[in-house]
Amino acid sequence: MNHKDNDRYLPIGIFDSGVGGLTVLKEIHALMPNEGIMYLGDTARVPYGTRSEETIKRYSAECASFLFKKGIKLLVIACNTASAISLDYIKELIPVPVIGVIEPGALTAVRLTNNKRVGVIGTEATIRSLAYKKAIHSFDESVSVFSKACPLFVPLVEEGWTSGDVAEKVVSIYLSDLLKSNIDCLVLGCTHYPLLKGVIQDVVGKDVRLVDSAIETAKAVKHVLEDTNLVNRVNSINTIRYFVTDSKERFVSVGERFLNEEINDIEVVSLNKYGRKDEN
Ligand code: DGL
């Protein structure tokens, strides 16, 4: 892939099905504060986690094309569901480096597990795709992977119920089977789950190590920017622009809770014409 010298000043593009990918944005911004970021949340069509592969691919292509046309140097698919289903497809579509959240989390789990028994939690579509299992086995075939879809975690987090009795009860019910599998490492395979880290750690106990895909993905982005000579070393363009496909209000109120920071530069956009083969 050839880059022009000025490409390093372009922003990093990040897309997600909605507000959850802000957990990934937060880690990328913390690790690389010089980098500009364009974040697209497809809030009109969230959730992706309950949809078919075909639909997830189409939505992902539209998001990726939108950001590519805005001008980005690298694309991050922050949504675990979209990464699980569409990473290879988007890599073919967009001529900049594309990073998903599955591989970085899978690699960290393989490095952390001592007893070679790893748990993975995510949306229905992510777990059904077996993407984490395949990625973990591509690094170490001898690791046993135990997976569980936890569909109630996303609405729980968006409602702000990330601690207390209800959160503990819901997390305990979903994770009870995994705990019987004697795992020593658990991958948080969904954008929203880092906000439940405290409750999840209490439920699984301190001997089970949690893998936060958002943190691991930020490290992977840094490596790719360094390897491709795309690091922005000028501390002047650290702007973050947000695009959403539905009204701003809910994104801003939930998003500010995710980020612990104000969301200012935000625009509502339509993705209708992006990602179509017949578009010129
Ligand atoms: N962003 C999704 C994920 O990480 C969770 C929300 C959704 O289902 O769209 O899988």
Side-chain angles (χ1 to χ4, degrees):
M1 213 169 283
N2 286 324
H3 304 293
K4 288 186 237 95
D5 271 355
N6 283 339
D7 283 2
R8 74 188 56 183
Y9 304 116
L10 290 172
I12 294 170
I14 304 176
F15 83 82
D16 178 54
S17 55
V19 74
L22 293 178
T23 53
V24 179
L25 179 148
K26 191 177 178 178
E27 300 302 338
I28 289 175
H29 186 56
L31 197 62
M32 292 158 280
N34 281 355
E35 302 294 345
I37 296 177
M38 275 193 205
Y39 180 95
L40 169 64
D42 192 6
T43 46
R45 304 189 293 197
V46 69
Y48 284 11
T50 49
R51 299 193 193 275
S52 68
E53 289 204 2
E54 200 188 354
T55 301
I56 294 165
K57 272 190 182 167
R58 180 161 53 84
Y59 289 178
S60 303
E62 289 172 3
C63 291
S65 303
F66 172 85
L67 286 170
F68 177 68
K69 283 178 187 171
K70 287 267 167 209
I72 53 172
K73 62 181 172 186
L74 176 145
L75 178 70
V76 180
I77 308 182
C79 179
N80 284 253
T81 305
S83 297
I85 309 295
S86 340
L87 180 65
D88 292 339
Y89 182 57
I90 300 301
K91 278 184 173 170
E92 296 278 305
L93 198 71
I94 304 293
V96 294
V98 181
I99 297 181
V101 288
I102 307 285
E103 213 170 88
L107 180 59
T108 306
V110 168
R111 286 189 179 139
L112 285 182
T113 182
N114 290 318
N115 69 359
K116 298 202 179 235
R117 299 174 78 80
V118 170
V120 177
I121 52 176
T123 65
E124 284 169 35
T126 298
I127 299 304
R128 198 177 52 224
S129 74
L130 304 178
Y132 271 106
K133 195 172 186 171
K134 288 178 193 157
I136 288 171
H137 285 163
S138 74
F139 297 119
D140 184 346
E141 259 182 50
S142 68
V143 173
S144 301
V145 181
F146 303 88
S147 307
K148 177 78 182 170
C150 304
L152 270 188
F153 287 12
V154 166
L156 204 60
V157 169
E158 293 209 1
E159 281 306 307
W161 292 19
T162 50
S163 59
D165 291 352
V166 175
E168 269 165 37
K169 188 87 194 155
V170 173
V171 171
S172 305
I173 292 171
Y174 275 113
L175 300 191
S176 63
D177 283 348
L178 280 186
L179 288 176
K180 290 182 202 140
S181 309
N182 191 28
I183 54 168
D184 71 349
C185 177
L186 177 64
V187 181
L188 308 180
C190 174
T191 47
H192 291 59
Y193 299 177
L195 280 97
L196 282 172
K197 244 187 215 169
V199 181
I200 294 174
Q201 191 74 73
D202 285 348
V203 168
V204 297
K206 60 174 178 17
D207 294 338
V208 177
R209 302 175 79 172
L210 303 185
V211 176
D212 182 334
S213 319
I215 294 177
E216 303 310 325
T217 301
K219 292 181 198 159
V221 169
K222 190 162 188 261
H223 285 143
V224 172
L225 289 184
E226 284 166 357
D227 288 351
T228 52
N229 212 12
L230 280 173
V231 175
N232 178 13
R233 301 188 194 282
V234 182
N235 186 10
S236 61
I237 317 177
N238 63 358
T239 52
I240 306 182
R241 290 180 69 189
Y242 299 91
F243 301 94
V244 286
T245 53
D246 199 1
S247 72
K248 300 173 190 176
E249 287 72 22
R250 185 172 161 86
F251 182 87
V252 171
S253 65
V254 178
E256 288 185 343
R257 190 151 34 77
F258 272 56
L259 283 177
N260 249 337
E261 221 170 82
E262 274 186 28
I263 292 177
N264 294 310
D265 189 349
I266 177 165
E267 197 181 312
V268 180
V269 295
S270 162
L271 300 182
N272 283 345
K273 64 180 180 14
Y274 293 96
R276 292 212 186 134
K277 289 209 168 65
D278 56 1
E279 201 211 347
N280 50 40

